[in-house]
Amino acid sequence: MPSLIILEGDQQGRVIELSGQPLAIGRDPASDFVLSDADVSRRHAAIEFANGFYFIRDLSSENGTFVNNVPVGRALLLDRDEIRIGSMRAIFVETVAAEDVPSSLRTPPVLERSDESEDFFIDAATEVVPKPAEPATEDLQQAYDRLKTIYAMMRSDAASRHPAERIESAVALARNAIEADRLTLIEQDAAAPDGWRVRCMATATGVSSRNRIAISRTVFAYVEKERKPFFCSNPQSDRRVGGSDSLRQSGIRSVLCVPLIEGDRVAGFLYADNFVSREPFGKEDLDFVTAVGSLIIGWLREERAGGEQSTIGAGAVLAPVGRHTFVTQNARMKQILEVVHKVARSDTTFLITGESGTGKELIARMAHLASPRARGPFVCVNCAALPDTLLESELFGHEKGAYTGAVAARAGKFEAARGGTIFLDEIGDISPAAQAKVLRVLQEREIERLGSNRTIAVDVRVIAATNKNLAEEILAGRFREDLFYRLNVIRIELPPLRERLDDLPALVEFFIQSVRSELHSPVRRASREALDVLARYSWPGNVRELRNVIERAVVLGSDEAIWPDDLPPEVRGETGLPQGPLSSAASSEAAVLRTLDECEREHILRVLTYTGWNKKRAAEILGISRSALYEKIATYSLEAT
C-alpha cells in the first residue's frame, strides 16, 4: 500500500498508510499528521489522491515544502521521492519494504578494512547521506516535475491499465503540469456533425466527458490546416487568430493546441486554454503537451485495435471496434468473430451477408483493424445511396471534363483507400457496368478514372456486403456470376437479432450504459418485464433498431429501470404496424378500424393482464388514479380470465 515513512523528526520510524483520502500535515492539532516543529505552519501541506496518483500540495506555508530538496507548490509523488517539511524528513513509497526502515533504527554496519588498500569499504546496507543539492532554479524544477509526469504515464504498472484509463489519466496529469484551466482531448468521429467529438476534458475538478464545449474554431481550423502545434499568449493581438470573435468575447487569456497526427491524417487534438489570471502558455508548455500527445496517439491506436476483450454479464464478449463495440454472448456469433479474426490476417476478399442493421459494417471494420492494413484508411461506400450516374465517378474518380460538371480531376474511393481497406456496402445494388469495373479491380488491382485511358495501380483490400440473396439476383440477370465468385471467396453470414435473442440482455445493458451518461438519465437497467417485451418483438431493424429503442427509453425514462410503458407502441405490440418484414399490401390489410372505446377497453385489459390484475401498478402504467381505473373496469365489464 502507498505509505509515508518518517526518516527524521520527532516521529521517526512511523509509517503512515495512504488510503486515498487527503492527509493534512501541520502544527494544527486537527491535522491528520501533527508536527510540533516551530518551522512548520499550522496548516502546512496536504497529500492528495487524484486520477490514480498521489500529489503533495503546499498550503502557502512560511518555510515551504520540499520534494527531493526542491521547493514545490504542488508536485506529483513517485516511488521513493523524499519529502521535507521543517525538520521532518520522509519518503513516499508505493510498497513498504524491509530496507525502508530508517537507518537509525537498524544495527550499525560493520566497516571492514581492506588488505589491498588503506580505504574503508562501506557495507551495502549503510545509508550514505548525499551532499545537499544546490537550490534548483524554477526552470529546472519545472523540467524535473514534467519528466516525473511523463514517467508516471509510462511506468510499468500503468501499462496494465486499459488504454481509455491511461488516456484520461494522461490528460489530467498534463493539465495539472501546465496549470491550464482546462485541457480537452478532441478526436475524429465520422458520425459527429463536423467530424469531431470531445473525448474528455480535464479541469481542476477532475476529468469529464462532454459532447459540446466552447472552443476557438479559428485556432482549431488553423492547426488542422498547418498540421503543427500552436500556442498563443495574447489571442487579442496575435495576427493568426486576431480576427476570432469567440476568443475576444470569451475572455481567453492564453490558448494552446497540438494536433495528434497518425500517418497522413489528423486523428485528434489536445486543446488547452486559460481564463483566469496566470502566466501565459510558453514554448516549454507546447513541447510538453506535444510529448504527451505522442503517447496518447499510441493508446488511441491500441484502443482501436481491440486487443482486449471485456464482458457484460456472464459470457458476453465485448470487443472494441474503433469508436464502436461489438457485444455478443451467442455461440454462433462467437464462431463468426473467430472466423473474422482469422480472415483478417490475409488480404483475401470476402463477402458479408445479412439483413440491414445486423452489423455488417462493424464486422468489416473489425477485420480491417485486426489486419496488417490497420494503419491505412478504412473507406466505406454505400452503393445503394448513390445513383448509377455518380457511383462510377465516386468509386474510380474522374478527369477534368469527363462529363458535364467535372470541372477538375478527382480521385475516387479506391485511390483514397490505397494501403487500407474499401468496404462496398450493398454491392447487390450496383449497375452491371459498375460490376464489370469492380471485377477488373479485383482481378487486375488497377483502375481507370472516368475520361481517362491511363491505368492506376491500387493496393487495397476489398470487403463487400449485401442484404440481398445474390444467387437469386444472378438467376434474375441483375448480378454478374463471375463477380459473385470473386467476392464469395469467404462468406460471413450474420444472423438477424430474432435468431440470437440470447444477446438481448447484454446488448440492452451495453446500450443503456453507453447513452445514459451522455443524456444524464437516471436509467441504469432494464426491468425483467421490459426484457420480456423486447424478447417477444421480431426486430425487423435488428441491432440498429434495438439501439434506437433503448436510447428512446433512456431519454424518456424517469425511473432507475426501463419498464414496458417506456418502450414504443409497436415494440409492445399495441399498433397495427407489422412485427416483421411484411409487404405494404399485407400491412394495410392487417390494419383494423375501431372505435376509441374499443381501443381503450382493449388497452386497459392488456395492462391489467400484464400486471396480473395489480390495479395499483396498472393505474400507474395507464397514468390514471385507482378510482378511475375501477370505474373503467365497471364501464367495460372487464373480468380476469
Side-chain angles (χ1 to χ4, degrees):
M1 172 177 285
S3 302
L4 202 63
I5 302 177
I6 313 305
L7 301 179
E8 292 180 6
D10 56 5
Q11 298 192 47
Q12 183 184 36
R14 180 181 175 187
V15 177
I16 303 173
E17 293 185 346
L18 303 175
S19 62
Q21 298 298 318
L23 179 77
I25 305 172
R27 284 191 296 110
D28 190 332
S31 298
D32 301 305
F33 179 26
V34 181
L35 297 173
S36 58
D37 191 339
D39 290 334
V40 176
S41 301
R42 290 183 62 81
R43 296 179 67 254
H44 196 106
I47 295 179
E48 304 166 334
F49 182 77
N51 302 302
F53 298 93
Y54 283 92
F55 297 82
I56 187 166
R57 179 163 57 93
D58 185 78
L59 303 177
S60 301
S61 66
E62 291 185 7
N63 296 310
T65 301
F66 297 79
V67 176
N68 300 323
N69 288 324
V70 177
V72 298
R74 186 171 187 260
L76 173 69
L77 292 176
L78 296 181
D79 192 33
R80 306 197 68 77
D81 274 348
E82 183 178 296
I83 300 168
R84 182 165 59 82
I85 296 175
S87 62
M88 187 278 295
R89 189 168 65 90
I91 60 168
F92 170 81
V93 294
E94 294 186 350
T95 303
V96 178
E99 59 269 21
D100 292 326
V101 177
S103 59
S104 60
L105 302 181
R106 296 199 299 259
T107 303
V110 177
L111 303 183
E112 298 178 348
R113 192 180 185 88
S114 169
D115 293 333
E116 292 81 14
S117 170
E118 292 297 317
D119 297 331
F120 285 98
F121 283 72
I122 301 176
D123 184 86
T126 303
E127 181 176 321
V128 180
V129 179
K131 179 183 177 181
E134 294 294 327
T137 66
E138 186 176 345
D139 289 343
L140 285 176
Q141 176 189 336
Q142 182 187 80
Y144 176 68
D145 287 343
R146 293 185 177 184
L147 183 61
K148 287 174 62 179
T149 301
I150 292 291
Y151 170 73
M153 297 176 188
M154 299 178 65
R155 62 186 185 178
S156 57
D157 62 327
S160 63
R161 299 163 65 192
H162 191 277
E165 296 179 28
R166 302 186 73 181
I167 290 168
E168 286 196 3
S169 178
V171 171
L173 288 170
R175 186 217 66 83
N176 180 72
I178 65 173
E179 299 180 33
D181 282 346
R182 62 180 182 178
L183 177 63
T184 305
L185 172 59
I186 301 166
E187 68 176 351
Q188 197 175 58
D189 185 350
D194 55 0
W196 303 96
R197 75 177 180 99
V198 173
R199 168 66 178 264
C200 63
M201 181 178 71
T203 64
T205 58
V207 181
S208 63
S209 175
R210 300 178 58 181
N211 290 327
R212 299 179 63 85
I213 64 165
I215 65 172
S216 170
R217 292 291 175 184
T218 305
V219 172
F220 196 72
Y222 179 85
V223 175
E224 185 177 9
K225 177 183 177 183
E226 298 295 327
R227 297 166 65 87
K228 61 183 181 182
F230 165 93
F231 79 97
C232 176
S233 58
N234 191 348
Q236 281 68 32
S237 61
D238 194 304
R239 60 182 178 80
R240 295 170 297 176
V241 295
S244 173
D245 292 333
S246 63
L247 285 175
R248 286 197 300 269
Q249 294 170 3
S250 63
I252 293 176
R253 295 175 180 269
S254 186
V255 65
L256 177 155
C257 189
V258 171
L260 305 181
I261 299 176
E262 187 176 5
D264 59 351
R265 72 187 185 100
V266 177
F269 299 88
L270 283 172
Y271 177 93
D273 50 18
N274 274 316
F275 299 89
V276 299
S277 178
R278 74 171 294 275
E279 292 185 8
F281 294 128
K283 180 64 165 59
E284 65 280 0
D285 297 315
L286 191 69
D287 292 341
F288 173 74
V289 176
T290 302
V292 174
S294 65
L295 296 176
I296 289 177
I297 289 173
W299 296 328
L300 287 171
R301 188 183 301 121
E302 183 182 342
E303 185 180 51
R304 286 197 303 273
E308 293 185 309
Q309 290 186 340
S310 56
T311 60
I312 282 189
V317 173
L318 191 151
V321 188
R323 62 183 178 85
H324 305 284
T325 305
F326 200 98
V327 181
T328 186
Q329 59 184 10
N330 179 266
R332 180 178 172 188
M333 283 303 307
K334 288 181 180 180
Q335 291 176 351
I336 289 174
L337 295 184
E338 290 178 5
V339 172
V340 170
H341 282 286
K342 289 179 181 178
V343 173
R345 300 169 191 163
S346 68
D347 264 359
T348 304
T349 300
F350 67 93
L351 180 67
I352 307 171
T353 61
E355 295 178 9
S356 178
T358 51
K360 295 189 291 294
E361 182 179 342
L362 206 55
I363 291 293
R365 287 184 183 274
M366 183 180 294
H368 169 72
L369 291 172
S371 75
R373 295 177 176 269
R375 293 190 176 186
F378 178 85
V379 177
C380 179
V381 182
N382 187 341
C383 301
L386 296 168
D388 292 341
T389 53
L390 294 179
L391 180 62
E392 290 187 45
S393 174
E394 188 73 14
L395 290 177
F396 310 111
H398 61 256
E399 297 293 344
K400 181 179 179 179
Y403 56 85
T404 303
V407 296
R410 179 176 177 274
K413 297 296 187 183
F414 273 98
E415 290 180 72
R418 186 180 283 117
T421 303
I422 187 169
F423 175 55
L424 302 178
D425 196 11
E426 305 305 348
I427 197 169
D429 293 300
I430 66 175
S431 66
Q435 291 176 33
K437 291 194 173 185
V438 171
L439 178 62
R440 182 184 176 187
V441 175
L442 295 174
Q443 291 176 334
E444 309 296 336
R445 298 294 171 178
E446 60 184 27
I447 63 166
E448 288 182 7
R449 292 182 180 179
L450 293 181
S452 172
N453 294 322
R454 181 173 62 92
T455 60
I456 301 173
V458 288
D459 173 25
V460 62
R461 182 189 194 166
V462 178
I463 301 176
T466 182
N467 60 9
K468 292 187 174 182
N469 186 324
L470 293 185
E472 294 179 359
E473 295 295 303
I474 292 170
L475 291 175
R478 293 188 292 266
F479 200 83
R480 295 177 63 109
E481 188 173 10
D482 48 1
L483 176 58
F484 171 74
Y485 291 126
R486 262 310 211 182
L487 294 172
N488 198 42
V489 178
I490 295 175
R491 180 164 57 179
I492 295 174
E493 186 174 355
L494 300 183
L497 182 56
R498 59 184 173 274
E499 293 180 10
R500 43 180 283 222
L501 290 178
D502 52 337
D503 276 344
L504 258 178
L507 285 167
V508 169
E509 182 180 350
F510 176 75
F511 290 148
I512 290 173
Q513 302 308 323
S514 298
V515 301
R516 64 173 296 271
S517 58
E518 298 177 6
L519 302 173
H520 305 290
S521 171
V523 175
R524 295 179 178 274
R525 62 183 179 85
S527 66
R528 170 46 54 191
E529 295 85 351
L531 289 174
D532 290 343
V533 172
L534 294 172
R536 290 196 294 268
Y537 186 57
S538 62
W539 300 106
N542 293 292
V543 179
R544 183 186 295 121
E545 183 184 10
L546 174 63
R547 180 184 174 87
N548 293 338
V549 167
I550 297 304
E551 184 170 350
R552 173 189 184 276
V554 172
V555 171
L556 299 179
S558 56
D559 195 0
E560 184 186 43
I562 294 175
W563 295 96
D565 48 320
D566 295 320
L567 302 175
E570 60 271 21
V571 174
R572 299 196 305 263
E574 296 177 3
T575 69
L577 294 178
Q579 288 281 302
L582 302 176
S583 66
S584 57
S587 177
S588 60
E589 290 174 1
V592 179
L593 299 178
R594 292 170 294 171
T595 66
L596 286 174
D597 285 347
E598 290 173 331
C599 291
E600 185 179 57
R601 183 185 189 282
E602 181 180 331
H603 181 58
I604 292 173
L605 183 58
R606 182 184 294 112
V607 172
L608 286 166
T609 303
Y610 169 77
T611 61
W613 279 77
N614 182 326
K615 299 180 181 61
K616 181 178 181 295
R617 177 68 180 140
E620 290 174 353
I621 293 175
L622 293 168
I624 59 178
S625 65
R626 202 181 311 185
S627 60
L629 177 59
Y630 278 109
E631 290 180 7
K632 297 289 186 183
I633 292 173
T635 300
Y636 295 126
S637 302
L638 299 178
E639 294 180 358
T641 57

